[in-house]
Amino acid sequence: MAMTSSTTSAPVGSPLHPRAGRRCHNVLNALHTTHYFSPDVGRELAPLGITHPKAVNFAIRAAALGAVGAGTVTATFFNYKPDTVARFVPEIWRTAAPEDVLAARLRAVDTTLRRLLGDEAVASPEMAEAARLALRATEACSPSGRPLYAAHAALAVPDEPHLAYWHAATLLREHRGDGHLAALLDAELDPVEALVSHTATGKSMTPTWNLNTRGWTRDDWDAAVERLRGRGLVAADGELTESGVALRKAIEERTDRLDRAPYEHLGAADVERLTELGTVFAGAALQAGAFPADLLGKA
């Protein structure tokens, strides 16, 4: 894998573009997210007694919080139906200890990344460089008001560069995600309204994927659409109105502001380099079939 610094890289000390952190986060998050769709996760958790896909999802993401109850998972995950969470939490912790789930998750991530990227990329100098840059960015993350980030930040950094890179991507994902929830609350969007409005941008999972994974019903979805129409955010055809587009833009911009510290700490040139490296790794994972073909879209 040959990757060299871009000849148009931002000079050291240059100001950070307002969306540079978002662009960097997006490619890092893409690689982090691969394990949610990986069969390796289910294979690792099955011997622990966790086999239902929703139980697997709750376990691997919530394990860093410890053996918490359904209320904590509902609050921190935000857009899952409370009844769905309560069906599996805290029962999952009576089945497997959080530390065992975390160990299984890391084994699954190792297998997944090796399968998607190949051993050459996993062992490459570029992977080690990406891990160093991403970990340096996390030095400026704040745990205050960010429970999922804080829980994952307390975990040990894996020794192998590809796992350290994935760990840092996880921290940066949860840091931004926790801030994003604050922006959604400020916009007065409830969990289903947040899903509906994001899907209407065309940049989210389809309604089918959202309903299947988050536990809401079609009636829940349709009721949220009606509430958004009542606020003038969604048109009769289901598309965002000008006000809806403006609101989603404002949410992302506020999320950017709340998440700017790690990328300002890294600096414009290194953010650009990390984005470049992350784009190659995420692209390789995509080409290797990391995600379902019907995952994204409005319908």
Side-chain angles (χ1 to χ4, degrees):
M1 176 185 296
M3 286 185 283
T4 57
S5 296
S6 170
T7 56
T8 59
S9 294
V12 175
S14 63
L16 194 66
H17 187 279
R19 293 189 182 178
R22 188 194 308 181
R23 289 195 293 265
C24 190
H25 161 268
N26 285 345
V27 296
L28 297 179
N29 184 49
L31 195 73
H32 161 87
T33 305
T34 57
H35 81 295
Y36 293 125
F37 302 93
S38 171
D40 303 309
V41 175
R43 282 194 285 267
E44 287 289 349
L45 264 66
L48 302 180
I50 299 176
T51 57
H52 194 288
K54 287 187 173 65
V56 169
N57 179 261
F58 292 136
I60 59 174
R61 193 168 177 221
L65 295 164
V68 295
T72 299
V73 174
T74 299
T76 54
F77 284 27
F78 183 73
N79 56 23
Y80 287 74
K81 190 168 186 174
D83 290 351
T84 299
V85 178
R87 178 182 168 191
F88 299 101
V89 182
E91 180 63 29
I92 52 174
W93 311 129
R94 290 190 279 270
T95 304
E99 57 268 27
D100 293 335
V101 171
L102 290 169
R105 180 182 69 167
L106 197 60
R107 291 193 300 270
V109 169
D110 180 36
T111 303
T112 299
L113 294 184
R114 290 182 184 278
R115 174 170 50 82
L116 295 174
L117 303 181
D119 288 338
E120 182 179 350
V122 163
S124 67
E126 289 83 5
M127 181 62 77
E129 180 186 3
R132 288 195 300 271
L133 291 172
L135 286 169
R136 179 146 40 96
T138 68
E139 293 171 354
C141 291
S142 169
S144 300
R146 291 182 166 93
L148 273 173
Y149 162 74
H152 284 85
L155 303 178
V157 178
D159 292 330
E160 293 185 81
H162 67 295
L163 296 179
Y165 175 60
W166 178 85
H167 174 77
T170 301
L171 298 187
L172 292 167
R173 167 214 169 87
E174 299 297 7
H175 187 269
R176 182 178 180 87
D178 286 336
H180 185 61
L181 299 192
L184 291 174
L185 290 171
D186 185 62
E188 299 183 78
L189 293 177
D190 69 27
V192 194
E193 293 165 356
L195 292 173
V196 170
S197 60
H198 192 202
T199 296
T201 68
K203 299 177 182 179
S204 176
M205 294 192 297
T206 64
T208 297
W209 271 95
N210 273 313
L211 294 175
N212 287 343
T213 58
R214 271 49 179 173
W216 303 100
T217 67
R218 177 57 67 173
D219 286 345
D220 294 326
W221 188 273
D222 292 344
V225 171
E226 289 304 317
R227 292 195 296 275
L228 293 172
R229 283 177 181 162
R231 290 176 61 180
L233 300 174
V234 171
D237 60 1
E239 296 292 326
L240 292 174
T241 62
E242 287 187 13
S243 296
V245 170
L247 181 65
R248 289 301 318 190
K249 181 180 179 182
I251 288 168
E252 294 304 323
E253 290 176 347
R254 180 155 195 185
T255 303
D256 288 341
R257 292 194 298 274
L258 294 173
D259 192 42
R260 66 183 180 273
Y263 303 100
E264 288 180 346
H265 176 69
L266 192 56
D270 283 341
V271 168
E272 185 175 322
R273 177 58 174 163
L274 180 56
T275 305
E276 176 188 15
L277 293 165
T279 299
V280 173
F281 295 135
L286 181 63
Q287 288 297 314
F291 304 104
D294 62 347
L295 181 65
L296 302 179
K298 295 183 181 182

